[in-house]
Amino acid sequence: MPDPSAEPKNDHTDKSTIDSGGSRSILGLHRSDQVFVAVMLAALVILSVVYWTKLSGWGQKPVEIKRLPAREYDFRLDINSATWVQWAQLEGIGEVLARRIVADRNQQGPFATVDDIRRVNGIGAKKLDAIREWLYVTPAADDE
């Protein structure tokens, strides 16, 4: 019977093999391939840590932002010189109604008061009350 201690056991738990050049390879990778994989894994780990620290905000202090106070809408419109584009900026006045206001002013003359725009078809008491605060009238220049 052969002596079991004289013969080395064939243990298949070792994943390394010896290639034809005499160098040991792990998982079928040569030494230069192993170094490359190790360097790439190390770079991946380092970049992952850097990315995680940036996402977590570690080492950063909060920045306070001073905001300006809210402003009121300060658009004012001279009803005798406004174009249809300016009229269309007002809430509830669309392009069609704005063009109608300008056409009425051109046909019937300038408005004497803000209440005179009620003569335009489509401007009622409710609509006029909604936009009144943004309207004003400049007196027409008299040719003397």
Side-chain angles (χ1 to χ4, degrees):
M1 180 176 233
D3 185 16
S5 61
E7 239 181 76
K9 292 184 180 177
N10 193 2
D11 191 19
H12 294 290
T13 59
D14 188 13
K15 300 261 191 240
S16 63
T17 58
I18 298 176
D19 63 0
S20 60
S23 64
R24 184 173 221 170
S25 66
I26 299 175
L27 298 174
L29 298 175
H30 296 291
R31 179 75 178 149
S32 61
D33 295 335
Q34 293 172 11
V35 170
F36 176 76
V37 169
V39 168
M40 289 297 121
L41 286 175
L44 180 67
V45 168
I46 290 170
L47 290 175
S48 296
V49 168
V50 168
Y51 181 71
W52 177 77
T53 55
K54 282 189 176 254
L55 282 181
S56 69
W58 182 75
Q60 298 176 358
K61 54 184 175 178
V63 177
E64 289 187 34
I65 299 174
K66 294 181 181 176
R67 302 211 182 264
L68 294 174
R71 291 187 56 186
E72 291 292 319
Y73 189 64
D74 58 358
F75 179 74
R76 303 260 313 159
L77 187 68
D78 180 8
I79 62 176
N80 285 323
S81 65
T83 64
W84 72 266
V85 176
Q86 292 169 322
W87 276 104
Q89 302 299 312
L90 295 174
E91 184 82 26
I93 307 289
E95 178 182 348
V96 174
L97 184 55
R99 286 182 185 269
R100 199 178 306 143
I101 293 169
V102 173
D104 179 271
R105 184 182 66 214
N106 291 338
Q107 290 173 357
Q108 297 187 22
F111 301 106
T113 65
V114 172
D115 291 325
D116 286 349
I117 66 168
R118 288 197 56 199
R119 72 183 186 205
V120 177
N121 187 20
I123 301 284
K126 287 183 181 180
K127 190 165 291 202
L128 179 60
D129 288 340
I131 63 173
R132 182 183 299 276
E133 63 183 299
W134 295 295
L135 303 178
Y136 69 97
V137 178
T138 53
D142 291 331
D143 296 333
E144 292 184 33

